[in-house]
Each structure stands twice: as structure tokens, then as C-alpha cells.
């Protein structure tokens, strides 16, 4: 009789490694998601193998993988609580205008914040997994509540990033999902293609990240406030 191998639990060592990573600096990443104004909690994952083409050492040291997992969780929760300012210029072939898009964080979770808690981690199938939670304070809960009201609007997007760019490819996939969500929202608001759009965007749920045909894919829901729309002049 053979027994089924179990995932290797990293336990106390990984709790310390994850916490140290944060102080020193999902395919179903969000299974078992619990998210409300009182608590943000989700499971995050990162690759353990390392991607030599992206400059990663191979095999990837556990402390580096832990640091990346915690950094990504902190970035996602910062994007949920504070969000980003965005500036988007859609492409226009007729006018020879190339698309440009930028996200600028409006705030961040401070290193050492005791309300940011990585939990016990496990390694499974070449990935490191850990639930990470964040407890917003009263002011942050008020902000989260405001995002559910006008002028904020709902949208969602699926973004992609190159797997062989490693950690940078993951971040690119998150940002691309935001760009796609803004694009979808503007299609319903503006009858004509705008010249430039500015505003703010926040995650309205913890994104899902996985690998699809060799690229990172992020599916995410957002709340968006459009603050400025510039149109092309018509003569």
C-alpha cells in the first residue's frame, strides 16, 4: 500500500521568514477568500523554481520567495485600501498615437505594521503558499466604504504578463488587468475614443493570478473614479 504524498508544511520557520521579509524590506491564489471592511485575508502564492531568464537564481532561495510573496500581498492590500492614480492614453493608429498607461500608488502599507500578518506557509508543486491578512483601521474602513458609492464605478479586467520576466511579469499582469478594466468602463461611458483619461482605481476584491499557456494571467475586479477625460478636438 502506498500513501499519497502530502504538501510539505513549513510552519514556524516560514512564519518567521515571511515576517522578516516584510519587516526587512493565486492559480487559485485566493481560495478561501475572506474580505470585508473589517479584515482582508487571502492566500497568495509565488514560484519556488526561479526563472533563470529573468535573472533569478536557481533554485530560488526560500527567503527570496517568501519576501516576494509578502511584498505582493502588501502591494495588493495597498491597492485595495489606498488604490492608484492612473493616466491612460489609448492608442490611435489614424493619429499615429501609441498607447501609454501608468499607475501610481496613492499609499502603502508600512513595513512592520502589526495589522499585516503572514500566516503559516506550505510548499506544494513548486510553489510557496501562505494566507496573509490585513486589518484596516477606522480611517481605512471609511475609505473602503466610500469606494462602494458614487462616483466610483465597478469594472473588471483580465491582464497578462510574460512568465519569463519572472516577478516583473507578475506585476505587469496585475497592472494590465487594471488597464483593461479602465478600458471596459470607458467603452460604456464615452461614445468616442478619448484622447487621455485620468482617475483613481482600487481593487474591489483580491485578484486571482495563474499561468495560462505560459503567461501570467490576472483576473481582478475594481472600483474606478474617472476624474478627467480629454477628447480630441474636432474642426
Amino acid at each position: 500500500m502506498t500513501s499519497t504524498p502530502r504538501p510539505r508544511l513549513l510552519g514556524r520557520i516560514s512564519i518567521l521568514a515571511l515576517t522578516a521579509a516584510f519587516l526587512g524590506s493565486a492559480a487559485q491564489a485566493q481560495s478561501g477568500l475572506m474580505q470585508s471592511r473589517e479584515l482582508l485575508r487571502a492566500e497568495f502564492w509565488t514560484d519556488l523554481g526561479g526563472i533563470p531568464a529573468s535573472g533569478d537564481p536557481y533554485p530560488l532561495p526560500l527567503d527570496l520567495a517568501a519576501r516576494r510573496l509578502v511584498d505582493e500581498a502588501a502591494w495588493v492590500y495597498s491597492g485595495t485600501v489606498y488604490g492608484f492614480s492612473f493616466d491612460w492614453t489609448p492608442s490611435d493608429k489614424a493619429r499615429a498615437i501609441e498607447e501609454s498607461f501608468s499607475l501610481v500608488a496613492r499609499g502603502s502599507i508600512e513595513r512592520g505594521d502589526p495589522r499585516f500578518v503572514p500566516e503559516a506557509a506550505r510548499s506544494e508543486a513548486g510553489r510557496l503558499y501562505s494566507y496573509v491578512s490585513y486589518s484596516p483601521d477606522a480611517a481605512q474602513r471609511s475609505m473602503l466604504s466610500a469606494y462602494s458609492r458614487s462616483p466610483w464605478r465597478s469594472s473588471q479586467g483580465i491582464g497578462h504578463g510574460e512568465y519569463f520576466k519572472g516577478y516583473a511579469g507578475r506585476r505587469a499582469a496585475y497592472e494590465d488587468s487594471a488597464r483593461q478594466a479602465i478600458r471596459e468602463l470607458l467603452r460604456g461611458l464615452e461614445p468616442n475614443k478619448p484622447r487621455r483619461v485620468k482617475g483613481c482605481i482600487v481593487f474591489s476584491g483580491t485578484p486571482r493570478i495563474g499561468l495560462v499557456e505560459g503567461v501570467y494571467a490576472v483576473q481582478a475586479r475594481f472600483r474606478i473614479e474617472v476624474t478627467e477625460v480629454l477628447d480630441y478636438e474636432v474642426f
Side-chain angles (χ1 to χ4, degrees):
M1 178 182 298
T2 60
S3 58
T4 302
R6 295 182 178 180
R8 183 163 60 94
L9 297 177
L10 303 183
R12 181 68 178 173
I13 294 176
S14 287
I15 297 175
L16 296 176
L18 287 163
T19 304
F22 184 73
L23 294 176
S25 53
Q28 299 300 328
Q30 285 71 42
S31 60
L33 171 65
M34 178 193 300
Q35 179 160 319
S36 69
R37 297 189 189 101
E38 306 300 324
L39 178 69
L40 307 178
R41 182 176 183 268
E43 186 176 45
F44 293 83
W45 67 269
T46 192
D47 297 293
L48 279 172
I51 303 171
S54 70
D56 284 348
Y58 188 88
L60 195 69
L62 181 60
D63 60 343
L64 177 56
R67 187 180 311 119
R68 288 179 174 179
L69 186 154
V70 174
D71 284 347
E72 186 166 299
W75 184 81
V76 168
Y77 288 154
S78 296
T80 303
V81 175
Y82 299 107
F84 310 90
S85 297
F86 69 84
D87 189 337
W88 176 48
T89 298
S91 64
D92 192 306
K93 293 182 179 179
R95 296 179 174 90
I97 294 175
E98 294 186 1
E99 182 176 26
S100 66
F101 179 71
S102 66
L103 284 179
V104 178
R106 299 199 301 164
S108 62
I109 295 173
E110 296 294 333
R111 297 175 185 272
D113 190 329
R115 294 171 295 140
F116 182 90
V117 182
E119 301 177 19
R122 75 182 194 280
S123 67
E124 182 179 351
R127 294 175 176 177
L128 181 70
Y129 293 84
S130 176
Y131 278 92
V132 183
S133 63
Y134 182 72
S135 300
D137 61 23
Q140 293 169 334
R141 291 196 297 271
S142 179
M143 293 166 60
L144 290 168
S145 179
Y147 300 146
S148 65
R149 301 189 295 269
S150 180
W152 295 85
R153 298 171 181 266
S154 295
S155 188
Q156 61 182 335
I158 298 177
H160 299 92
E162 295 182 36
Y163 172 74
F164 287 105
K165 288 187 176 180
Y167 189 66
R170 291 174 68 97
R171 180 63 57 84
Y174 281 107
E175 295 183 357
D176 190 43
S177 71
R179 181 183 64 86
Q180 294 288 0
I182 294 166
R183 179 194 296 273
E184 289 303 311
L185 178 65
L186 265 294
R187 283 177 175 172
L189 295 179
E190 296 293 320
N192 300 312
K193 180 186 293 185
R195 178 166 63 89
R196 189 176 183 183
V197 183
K198 295 182 180 181
C200 302
I201 185 169
V202 298
F203 291 115
S204 63
T206 310
R208 296 160 62 103
I209 182 168
L211 278 173
V212 179
E213 296 183 350
V215 299
Y216 286 117
V218 168
Q219 182 178 25
R221 293 180 289 113
F222 298 90
R223 296 287 289 177
I224 301 170
E225 179 187 18
V226 176
T227 58
E228 184 176 2
V229 178
L230 300 178
D231 295 319
Y232 288 100
E233 295 182 1
V234 178
F235 295 93

